[in-house]
Amino acid sequence: MSGVDDAVTAWAASGLAALTGPTDGPPDFSRAPILAAATDLAPDAATLLTGRAGLLGVRRRGRISAGGATRLLATLDGWVALTLSRPDDIAAVPALLEADAVDADPWPEVTAWAAGHRAGEIVARAVLLDLPAAALGETTAAPPRIRQCGRRGTPRAVAGLLVADLTSMWAGPLCARRLADAGATVVKVESPRRPDGTRAGDPRFFDWMNAGKLSCTTDFDTDADRLRALLTVADVVLEGSRPAALARRGLGPEDIPGPPGRVWLRITGHGDGSVEGRVAFGEGAARVAFGDDAAVAGGLVGRAPDGSPVFCGDAIADPLTGLAAAAAVSEALTRGGGELIEISMAAVAAEYAAQPSLPQGYPPNPPVAADPTAPPPAAAASALGADNAAVDALVAARSTRC
């Protein structure tokens, strides 16, 4: 059992035990083996999985996510996760419940309503209202979907490449940060009207994910030429919006060939479901997801002493997906690129959920669970649009070379 005991010790020391389990009960160690699997991708995986919690000072809250925006709700036939993190989410609750209005704290009414409905019905209704929701274990484990898209080049490493980072929040920015750490030049692209939402949060987290990237602003509708020029010369493109958003603007991977060996990586919550071609996207493409509800979709949850599910870690599908995405890009480059890779947060969570779990109540005498620790302070990230001129010059120089 030495390997299991080592996993338990690492889980406790990492801060993940402090983030998994009931609020007032013992920490849960059932998912301890996943940390070892994540460490195979990144030696600093423990910090990446718990660093945000360390910065924000959050801890385990059972069926309430560590960040507070997502809840596990009992239904007639199982469990669902629902996230209410955006103002529009709160505004949609009356329509979800088919009520004229709800209280300022909608959760008691939502919880009672969910108890009288089936999980599939709840998720279907939430998706229609653009609410992040998922049934526990609805997604099966699957590797990233890869298909040829563009011309292959020679195998190469990440260092020296130009990366266009069109993602936001956590999974995509973490992937881009890993590529920057490996020597790539990363351009973080944001809309001046709707910048990355984490800019409005704790600046330490935003800096941790985005320091060292060039900040470029462009409006996808009124200033598409700037974005098109960047995508034309970028060696790697990271996309995190719903896939139809770029396709309908003629800015998708099939619209912009790019240089030989380009890798286009698309991160979605539940998969885009696309067929060969540029405009046909499946049901998963319409679904929004955040790290906690995506983890529940993949079945990546802990267990309370009574066997009921509790949240595992802090939005754990986000950093796990960021690590998987960076590895997928690096592997594609070694094959010569020319690929479109689609990676689903829920599917990544399901891959980790498939790791052997420890028996409930193991170990009988658990080690003390350390609190999550904040990562070392990062340099300040660029202000919004601060590097527009530098990015334009970089793109122009690359265009001349091509």
Side-chain angles (χ1 to χ4, degrees):
M1 295 288 285
S2 62
V4 172
D5 292 337
D6 288 346
V8 166
T9 300
W11 187 258
S14 70
L16 282 162
L19 291 167
T20 309
T23 307
D24 300 320
D28 174 48
F29 288 83
S30 63
R31 294 297 185 180
I34 74 170
L35 178 56
T39 304
D40 287 341
L41 285 181
D44 58 344
T47 298
L48 296 173
L49 297 184
T50 65
R52 188 182 79 156
L55 290 170
L56 303 184
V58 298
R59 301 295 182 269
R60 65 180 183 271
R61 302 172 68 181
R63 288 193 285 276
I64 302 175
S65 64
T70 310
R71 302 209 179 185
L72 272 161
L73 307 171
T75 72
L76 285 174
D77 58 351
W79 296 85
V80 298
L82 176 68
T83 298
L84 301 177
S85 62
R86 305 165 297 177
D88 286 350
D89 297 335
I90 303 295
V93 171
L96 177 70
L97 306 187
E98 297 182 278
D100 292 333
V102 296
D103 293 338
D105 177 7
W107 284 114
E109 292 170 82
V110 170
T111 300
W113 174 81
H117 293 76
R118 296 186 180 278
E121 176 188 353
I122 293 169
V123 172
R125 185 164 182 79
V127 170
L128 287 175
L129 296 169
D130 203 32
L131 289 169
L136 177 59
E138 68 172 76
T139 302
T140 56
R145 296 177 60 215
I146 302 171
R147 67 180 174 88
Q148 194 69 30
C149 184
R151 298 165 289 170
R152 287 219 184 265
T154 57
R156 50 189 172 162
V158 172
L161 301 186
L162 177 61
V163 177
D165 177 15
L166 279 61
T167 69
S168 62
M169 304 305 285
W170 194 351
L174 173 56
C175 171
R177 195 203 109 174
R178 304 295 287 187
L179 299 179
D181 290 345
T185 297
V186 177
V187 177
K188 182 173 180 63
V189 181
E190 299 171 80
S191 165
R193 295 180 298 163
R194 297 186 63 183
D196 186 334
T198 56
R199 280 191 181 272
D202 191 313
R204 295 174 299 169
F205 177 70
F206 185 83
D207 291 344
W208 184 36
M209 288 295 104
N210 296 290
K213 303 176 186 177
L214 300 173
S215 175
C216 174
T217 54
T218 181
D219 189 296
F220 289 13
D221 293 312
T222 63
D223 191 21
D225 287 345
R226 168 178 277 168
L227 178 57
R228 184 175 288 105
L230 173 61
L231 298 181
T232 299
V233 299
D235 301 297
V236 177
V237 178
L238 307 178
E239 177 189 352
S241 58
R242 282 178 269 199
L246 291 180
R248 68 170 175 262
R249 293 174 172 87
L251 296 170
E254 293 85 2
D255 304 297
I256 301 175
R262 183 191 64 193
V263 175
W264 190 297
L265 182 128
R266 176 181 289 155
I267 297 175
T268 66
H270 297 274
D272 68 17
S274 61
V275 298
E276 295 296 325
R278 62 179 293 274
V279 295
F281 297 106
E283 292 181 0
R287 294 178 65 176
V288 63
F290 292 94
D292 285 303
D293 52 85
V296 170
L300 186 52
V301 294
R303 295 288 171 185
D306 64 3
S308 61
V310 293
F311 284 104
C312 177
D314 171 32
I316 198 165
D318 268 310
L320 290 177
T321 300
L323 291 177
V329 169
S330 295
E331 291 167 6
L333 290 169
T334 65
R335 294 189 294 266
E339 295 177 353
L340 171 62
I341 304 170
E342 186 258 306
I343 188 166
S344 153
M345 292 170 61
V348 169
E351 290 272 5
Y352 279 90
Q355 292 282 328
S357 59
L358 303 185
Q360 196 165 337
Y362 186 89
N365 298 301
V368 175
D371 287 336
T373 58
S382 290
L384 184 64
D387 304 304
N388 279 357
V391 171
D392 289 344
L394 177 62
V395 169
R398 291 241 172 180
S399 299
T400 301
R401 276 171 26 196
C402 293

